[in-house]
Amino acid sequence: MTNRIFYTKPSITELETGYAADAAANGWGARCYDYINRFEREFGAYLGSGFAIATSSCTGAMHMGLAALGIGPGDEVILADTNWVATVAPIMHLGASPVFVDVLPDTWCIDPTAVERSITPRTKAIIATHIYGNLCDMDALIEIGKRTGIAVIEDAAEAIGSVWHGRRAGSIGTFGTFSFHGTKTLTTGEGGMFVTSDADLYEKVLTLSNHGRARSQKKQFWPDAIGFKYKMSNIQAAIGCAQLERIEELVSRKREILAAYMVRLSTLNGISMNPEYTGTINGAWMPTAVFHPATGINREMLQQAFETANIDARVFFHPLSSLSMFAEKPANVNAWSIPERAINLPSYHDMSKADIDRVAETLISVVRSHQDNSAVRLHKSA
């Protein structure tokens, strides 16, 4: 049996372990926030955002950001139906209503035209999720936001390294959120980041992030509001600082792997992968293959082939509206169709050429086998 190829894993070097060891040995007392403060400062600088707050998860960052905007019962938040549940959970926790709209067929990101159609007097925010490193049309979404006064929020959990016409994903909207889960290009094991260039919003989230205790409050242990505890530890932040020093290397490797897949799969008809349009850079977090309906290739065929080849392969996100907790099933054609004929491909820093070839050959073999079987069926029916 060949070694299993995992769908992703982090790149950890002596730099990360050295910083983590220093934080564990010395990051207490007066130094208990040293790596956290550094990580926030350097991440904000890398992104081009004025302010950053390290959090325990991207979900926590989103929860606090939405709360700081005053979103609650009676409000609506528009988001792509193609999403992980982490994006919609904070909306539900705050008592607001999610409005699921369709995605574009090429980027798999939220469709601005569908957003426009779904705006009501109750709409308070639009969440733009940069899925798998692909970029939302931020020009169109920001224009809608400016015209309507609705906040445009970037869920950049999967988009570190992605750039929209000179601006890094996550730095463009009212606020942005990032994930540093162990599967992400930059990891702290678990963790996230809230970023914004709005000073007032930053202060609100900073207060909420510390159990509602404002930093201007002089009374000790005196909260000014009911807040949250979505904090990152100093040890996690130490790993993040090291990863951030290597960020260009980490993103570059992700892009190399996506490019290698594209070359190997270029002989196949009816397949598309993560796009990169003029003026943009795709951070390529998760290479994804989507088959045209006419090919007849489906998710189950792909999963079976990868399992047989001892390769991990993630399914494309199911539409949120297909989940049992949501009664309404909107006619979001692309969000419902694409997952049925798509698969996420393995991608990690030390993946070898042989690994990439093995994954690509597994995909190619599925297509060839399906074409051969279809030809046999056609011959028999003739």
Side-chain angles (χ1 to χ4, degrees), residues 357-375:
D357 287 343
R358 190 170 133 205
V359 173
E361 190 55 42
T362 300
L363 266 183
I364 292 168
S365 68
V366 171
V367 174
R368 287 174 178 162
S369 176
H370 180 68
Q371 289 174 339
D372 290 344
N373 290 336
S374 296

Side-chain angles (χ1 to χ4, degrees), residues 10 12 39 54-60 84 86 178-184 186-193 230-240 243:
I12 303 297
F39 190 31
T55 60
S56 58
S57 67
C58 183
T59 311
W84 175 228
F178 287 84
S179 170
F180 306 133
H181 183 265
T183 60
K184 298 301 188 291
L186 185 159
T187 187
T188 58
E190 281 282 4
M193 192 76 77
Y230 289 136
K231 288 182 175 290
M232 176 181 285
S233 75
N234 204 42
I235 297 173
Q236 288 173 298
I239 297 171
Q243 290 265 285

Side-chain angles (χ1 to χ4, degrees), residues 45-326:
Y46 165 76
L47 209 66
S49 291
F51 309 97
I53 300 173
T55 60
S56 58
S57 67
C58 183
T59 311
M62 181 67 73
H63 195 173
M64 292 191 294
L66 294 176
L69 291 179
I71 290 171
D75 295 332
E76 293 177 347
V77 178
I78 297 173
L79 70 161
D81 209 353
T82 296
N83 247 310
W84 175 228
V85 71
T87 308
V88 72
I91 300 169
M92 305 297 290
H93 288 316
L94 290 168
S97 299
V99 177
F100 302 127
V101 301
D102 209 357
V103 296
L104 295 169
D106 54 347
T107 64
W108 325 318
C109 292
I110 195 166
D111 182 345
T113 302
V115 169
E116 188 99 49
R117 288 197 303 264
S118 301
I119 292 173
T120 75
R122 297 171 59 193
T123 306
K124 294 298 172 64
I126 300 161
I127 298 179
T129 299
H130 301 299
I131 203 80
Y132 303 139
N134 301 351
L135 287 152
C136 298
D137 185 342
M138 292 308 298
D139 288 351
L141 294 171
I142 293 298
E143 191 279 327
I144 292 171
K146 287 180 177 177
R147 179 161 36 84
T148 61
I150 297 169
V152 177
I153 296 158
E154 288 180 90
D155 171 9
E158 303 172 356
I160 194 164
S162 295
V163 180
W164 176 264
H165 298 278
R167 300 184 68 182
R168 294 193 182 279
S171 70
I172 305 167
T174 302
F175 70 81
T177 61
F178 287 84
S179 170
F180 306 133
H181 183 265
T183 60
K184 298 301 188 291
T185 303
L186 185 159
T187 187
T188 58
E190 281 282 4
M193 192 76 77
F194 169 91
V195 297
T196 187
S197 290
D198 183 324
D200 291 338
L201 183 61
Y202 167 72
E203 289 296 336
K204 288 179 182 178
V205 175
L206 191 64
T207 296
L208 288 174
S209 74
N210 192 28
H211 283 304
R213 293 184 290 182
R215 62 175 172 172
S216 60
Q217 177 57 255
K218 303 303 181 186
K219 290 184 181 181
Q220 198 172 31
F221 291 109
W222 187 270
D224 297 283
I226 296 296
F228 302 94
K229 183 66 181 294
Y230 289 136
K231 288 182 175 290
M232 176 181 285
S233 75
N234 204 42
I235 297 173
Q236 288 173 298
I239 297 171
C241 287
Q243 290 265 285
L244 193 55
E245 286 186 31
R246 300 176 55 221
I247 188 60
E248 298 301 337
E249 170 199 355
L250 296 173
V251 172
S252 176
R253 182 60 185 141
K254 282 285 191 177
R255 287 173 51 75
E256 287 174 0
I257 292 169
L258 173 60
Y261 278 132
M262 286 182 165
V263 170
R264 287 288 282 108
L265 300 173
S266 61
T267 58
L268 297 181
N269 293 321
I271 186 175
S272 59
M273 296 191 71
N274 312 54
E276 182 174 87
Y277 293 116
T278 302
T280 70
I281 297 173
N282 194 317
W285 173 63
M286 184 64 69
T288 301
V290 177
F291 286 87
H292 190 277
T295 64
I297 304 295
N298 62 46
R299 176 178 56 208
E300 287 68 30
M301 292 178 191
L302 297 166
Q303 283 182 283
Q304 180 57 55
F306 277 98
E307 183 57 36
T308 300
N310 202 26
I311 299 170
D312 276 342
R314 294 185 4 154
V315 298
F316 196 99
F317 287 132
H318 305 285
L320 291 176
S321 61
S322 70
L323 302 179
S324 60
M325 63 282 291
F326 301 111

